Amino acid sequence: MHSRAFFLGFPLILLACQPAPRVAEQTPVLEFPEAGVDDPASYAGYATRFYRDASGNTFQVYLNQRDGRVVHVWADAANENAAFTVRDTEGHALAVTWGGSGAAVTADALTRTVRYQLAAMEWHKRPYGDPPFILRELTELIESIERLPAEQQTQHLALLATSDVEQLRSRLEPRVTLSEDEAGWSVLVEHTSLDSRNTMT
């Protein structure tokens, strides 16, 4: 089982409450647009950085300032990706920029972390109202398992490291925990893969 994580700050910084492994500060291995090299008009509102995680895998962060979109792609065996949109209090796209020049890369026995910062001029205060996106193939798979005879259902659930259909269904959405302390607000998002072999935090 492996766990992958990336932490953001804009200006909120998310912290993992666990013993801190050794931190390696890393500059991007590739970044564009590059001043004096890339055409500014071709990359208007667009920026991306590529880092290496502690295992040497590529981790890409892509900013589209025109619609406030931030996209992450982790190029390893599972090829995970995660994205979010930054908006102002009126619901309009809010431009974000890099909040630092590099990223902090860490690893311990089961967890690899890439931590970087983003900067924005405003806080996002509007609650998220859209339903979560869930792959139709996953919901159909669970529905098919649910219709199986009890013995076959047990066998299929065992392959997915569970004995309960509802627990399997709970893995379709991330777990979100919001908390506040003296330093400010923080949000923890954890998503376990359907087979429970990987966790993105």
Side-chain angles (χ1 to χ4, degrees):
M1 177 176 177
H2 295 282
S3 175
R4 301 166 178 84
F6 40 90
F7 296 92
L8 316 172
F10 51 95
L12 175 64
I13 298 175
L14 307 188
L15 302 174
C17 298
Q18 58 186 4
R22 188 166 57 108
V23 178
E25 295 294 333
Q26 186 185 100
T27 57
V29 295
L30 180 64
E31 178 178 2
F32 53 87
E34 183 178 348
V37 177
D38 297 312
D39 177 17
S42 299
Y43 290 92
Y46 170 88
T48 192
R49 286 178 173 178
F50 293 83
Y51 298 99
R52 293 285 188 191
D53 71 6
S55 298
N57 298 294
T58 301
F59 178 75
Q60 179 187 10
V61 185
Y62 160 101
L63 308 181
N64 187 338
Q65 296 183 328
R66 288 169 292 192
D67 59 11
R69 196 70 172 161
V70 182
V71 180
H72 311 85
V73 181
W74 210 314
D76 60 4
N79 288 325
E80 298 99 337
N81 65 83
F84 60 87
T85 300
V86 182
R87 301 185 185 277
D88 62 19
T89 56
E90 301 299 322
H92 304 125
L94 184 63
V96 292
T97 59
W98 304 116
S101 59
V105 176
T106 62
D108 59 22
L110 294 175
T111 302
R112 286 173 287 135
T113 301
V114 178
R115 175 177 176 154
Y116 71 96
Q117 291 189 359
L118 296 176
M121 297 302 293
E122 297 182 42
W123 289 88
H124 171 49
K125 297 180 179 178
R126 196 183 76 169
Y128 293 99
D130 294 334
F133 171 76
I134 299 174
L135 286 172
R136 185 187 64 192
E137 292 83 356
L138 296 183
T139 58
E140 290 178 349
L141 172 64
I142 293 175
E143 290 168 358
S144 297
I145 292 175
E146 205 167 20
R147 290 193 296 268
L148 291 173
E151 184 176 348
Q152 284 184 303
Q153 184 181 110
T154 299
Q155 294 172 349
H156 282 74
L157 290 173
L159 294 173
L160 296 169
T162 184
S163 59
D164 183 79
V165 173
E166 287 308 311
Q167 184 184 56
L168 189 63
R169 187 173 280 113
S170 72
R171 297 175 186 168
L172 294 175
E173 297 184 32
R175 299 176 300 281
V176 181
T177 305
L178 184 65
S179 59
E180 183 183 19
D181 57 25
E182 294 179 356
W185 288 93
S186 63
V187 60
L188 175 65
V189 183
E190 301 172 284
H191 199 175
T192 302
S193 62
L194 195 67
D195 60 6
S196 193
R197 294 184 179 182
N198 296 283
T199 298
M200 182 180 290
T201 305

